[in-house]
């Protein structure tokens, strides 16, 4: 794609926030989609849709401790990479890479994508990352990985049936041929890959051949999708997957980012999932505009309810959108110890620690407001916006009655503000500030305002911090911002958590009196 295809209005992701590396499949009139999760637990979120636009998370594929090994020293942006989700022979199949040493490529199955999913089968004969699955007419399963190489496997055992061999590596000179997906469409086998790296040079290219292993002829119009060198509001476009709708139309899901601010542009929500229509010309796919308006779809829409603004932690199970860091031991994260409250029990001394105990949700809006009622009587903890263990802002309360704003940027850690309060429960807040004024090429993407509300309803903003330091362009890596509750020391409890886009957040709800629950 080039500038001439840029939509008049900004494209909108179908899965906003940190939802990268989408893979999609259709069963009847239902669509299912999986994304990467990296260092977070549960692993590989799964979504359902009836229209490719409105999605509901139905679970995660790796949601049991025995399925997923992410040791405490797993670095940020380590863990689970680039799943492929497929439906074959009455079952759902999911291949994914755990880059943790000793793990590698894994294969899981389920009869219901909402779970339970099987324990993973290892694929020791499949090298590299980004495993794809495809079956030919005689039932042979082909696994293709970044590079791009391919090997036949026995999906029941994970055993490789031969040696991997190179098949096609994309455009000569292009970096990082990855994210392969193999399809049988009409009389050809198509091999679609990402190339150019997952940054501003990202793109999608495709080739076709007579058999799963080629030989492959590249599309003369490659890359069939890229926004490199354009002024399109969505950049880093790539890592795509194709799906055919019941009406015969074709669609592409892909990742992209929405950079904001001055130069070089900062994206803070991570790599998001977008949708684009696909047509066919001379046997090759042609990609249309990203994020088509819902009125342009050739079928009725199936909207889903918006997520609740507030989680009161009354349900016996946590909602599937909640994330933990690397694991979720019941002794450290529970809603059963104090009914109606979330209890977090620290393992370290701060949010900087690799084994920090937190519960978070993706930031999905450029402007938002989050609030929580915290009881720090037995420790210290708070409300944070986290990009990784070295880049986060937090407003933290202690048992002694102190509230402070802590900023961690790389090797620097500072207390940006501090306020003494009477000991007891307190409402902590974080929101995005007013958008920065344009014109300065150094302008950041946003600001984050952290504060506190006392039980009489008095709100105090403690610090406003530059949001660029919680961006991928500063921190590096593959994830996006997560708004999280955490325990720094001891035990802390949270009565409720609110998250809403700024347009619907309103002025805030007066905090409930202390002692509402026990």
């Amino acid at each position: 794609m080039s500038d001439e295809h840029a939509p008049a209005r900004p494209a909108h992701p179908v899965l906003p926030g940190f939802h990268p590396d989408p893979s999609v499949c259709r069963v009847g009139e239902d669509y299912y989609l999986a994304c990467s999760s990296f260092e977070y637990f549960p692993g590989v979120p799964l979504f359902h849709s009836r229209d490719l636009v409105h999605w509901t998370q139905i679970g995660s594929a790796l949601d049991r401790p025995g399925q997923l090994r992410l040791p405490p020293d797993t670095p940020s942006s380590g863990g689970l990479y680039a799943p492929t989700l497929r439906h074959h022979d009455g079952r759902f199949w999911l291949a994914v890479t755990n880059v943790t040493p000793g793990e590698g490529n894994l294969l899981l199955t389920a009869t219901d994508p909402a779970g339970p999913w099987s324990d993973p089968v290892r694929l020791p004969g499949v090298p590299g990352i980004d495993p794809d699955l495809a079956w030919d007419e005689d039932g042979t399963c082909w696994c293709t990985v970044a590079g791009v190489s391919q090997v036949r496997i026995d999906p029941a055992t994970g055993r490789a049936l031969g040696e991997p061999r190179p098949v096609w590596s994309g455009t000569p000179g292009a970096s990082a041929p990855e994210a392969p997906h193999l399809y049988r469409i009409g009389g050809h086998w198509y091999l679609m890959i990402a190339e150019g790296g997952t940054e501003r040079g990202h793109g999608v290219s495709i080739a076709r051949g007579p058999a799963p292993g080629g030989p492959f002829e590249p599309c003369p119009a490659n890359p069939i999708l890229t926004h490199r060198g354009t002024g399109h509001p969505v950049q880093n476009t790539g890592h795509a997957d194709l799906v055919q709708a019941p009406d015969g139309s074709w669609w592409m899901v892909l990742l992209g980012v929405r950079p904001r601010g001055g130069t070089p542009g900062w994206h803070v929500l991570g790599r998001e999932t977008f949708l684009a229509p696909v047509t066919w010309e001379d046997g090759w796919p042609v990609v249309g505009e990203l994020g088509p308006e819902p009125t342009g779809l050739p079928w009725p829409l199936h909207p889903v309810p918006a997520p609740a603004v507030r989680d009161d932690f009354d349900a016996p199970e946590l909602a599937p959108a909640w994330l933990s860091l690397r694991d979720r031991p019941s002794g450290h994260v529970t809603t059963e110890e104090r009914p109606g409250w979330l209890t977090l029990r620290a393992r370290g001394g701060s949010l900087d620690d690799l084994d920090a105990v937190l519960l978070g949700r993706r930031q999905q809006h450029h402007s938002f407001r989050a609030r929580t009622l915290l009881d720090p009587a037995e420790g210290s903890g708070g409300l944070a916006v986290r990009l990784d263990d070295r880049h986060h802002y937090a407003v933290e309360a202690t048992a002694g009655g102190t509230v402070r704003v802590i900023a961690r940027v790389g090797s620097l850690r500072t207390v940006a503000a501090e306020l003494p309060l009477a000991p007891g429960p307190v409402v902590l807040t974080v929101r995005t500030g007013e958008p920065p004024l344009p014109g300065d090429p150094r302008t950041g993407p946003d600001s984050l305002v952290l504060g506190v509300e006392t039980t009489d309803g008095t709100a105090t903003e403690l610090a406003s911090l530059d949001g660029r330091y919680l961006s991928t362009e500063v921190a590096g890596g593959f994830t996006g911002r997560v708004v999280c509750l955490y325990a720094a020391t001891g035990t802390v409890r949270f009565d409720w958590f609110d998250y809403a886009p700024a347009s619907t957040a309103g002025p805030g709800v007066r905090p409930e009196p202390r002692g509402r629950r026990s």
Side-chain angles (χ1 to χ4, degrees), residues 105-411:
N105 288 309
L106 309 172
L107 180 60
L108 299 84
T109 65
T111 55
D112 182 345
W117 284 79
S118 69
D119 288 335
V121 172
R122 296 181 184 275
L123 305 177
V126 178
I129 62 172
D130 301 3
D132 175 70
L133 299 172
W135 285 262
D136 64 19
E137 289 86 347
D138 66 8
T140 300
C141 183
W142 298 84
C143 187
T144 312
V145 293
V148 173
S149 65
Q150 188 182 83
V151 63
R152 293 183 302 126
I153 66 168
D154 177 353
T157 65
R159 186 169 63 92
L161 305 176
E163 294 296 322
R165 68 179 191 87
V167 286
W168 180 61
S169 292
T171 304
S175 65
E178 57 189 5
H181 288 308
L182 183 67
Y183 316 90
R184 176 64 185 264
I185 301 173
H188 298 285
W189 285 88
Y190 289 85
L191 178 57
M192 189 169 70
I193 68 169
E195 59 183 3
T198 196
E199 298 80 33
R200 296 294 192 266
H202 212 197
V204 178
S205 291
I206 197 165
R208 69 187 182 193
F216 286 103
E217 163 203 4
C219 175
N222 279 337
I224 60 171
L225 169 66
T226 187
H227 288 172
R228 64 180 72 132
T230 74
H232 198 287
V234 180
Q235 291 292 318
N236 302 30
T237 49
H239 205 117
D241 201 3
L242 293 172
V243 65
Q244 187 177 24
D247 69 345
S249 62
W250 285 86
W251 300 83
M252 174 184 283
V253 295
L254 65 143
L255 68 78
V257 306
R258 293 181 287 168
R260 307 178 85 200
T263 298
W266 291 269
H267 75 276
V268 301
L269 302 186
R271 298 174 300 161
E272 307 174 282
T273 291
F274 291 83
L275 177 70
V278 173
T279 56
W280 294 82
E281 296 181 8
D282 299 323
W284 295 108
V286 177
V287 185
E289 290 183 2
L290 268 65
E293 293 294 322
T295 54
L297 294 173
W299 49 68
L301 293 177
H302 295 272
V304 296
V309 169
R310 173 165 294 191
D311 192 331
D312 277 309
F313 303 115
D314 290 330
E317 300 289 336
L318 290 168
W322 283 111
L323 300 169
S324 293
L325 190 57
R326 301 178 181 89
D327 63 1
R328 186 181 291 171
S330 58
H332 293 271
V333 181
T334 180
T335 56
E336 297 179 356
E337 189 170 302
R338 185 174 177 180
W341 293 68
L342 169 70
T343 297
L344 299 182
R345 186 164 286 108
R347 290 184 289 204
S350 77
L351 191 58
D352 301 347
D353 297 328
L354 290 177
D355 62 350
V357 174
L358 62 83
L359 195 71
R361 58 147 297 156
R362 295 162 176 84
Q363 180 184 331
Q364 293 183 275
H365 307 86
H366 281 125
S367 297
F368 78 97
R369 177 173 181 171
R371 302 163 67 245
T372 188
L373 176 59
L374 165 67
D375 182 356
E378 301 171 53
S380 62
L383 175 65
V385 180
R386 178 187 191 272
L387 193 69
D388 61 27
D389 53 284
R390 292 166 53 85
H391 298 84
H392 47 80
Y393 298 154
V395 53
E396 183 174 290
T398 69
T402 298
V403 176
R404 58 192 173 216
V405 173
I406 301 169
R408 173 71 191 268
V409 178
S411 60

Side-chain angles (χ1 to χ4, degrees), residues 426-438:
V426 62
V427 174
L428 306 178
T429 66
V430 61
R431 65 174 179 85
T432 47
E434 292 298 316
L437 294 174

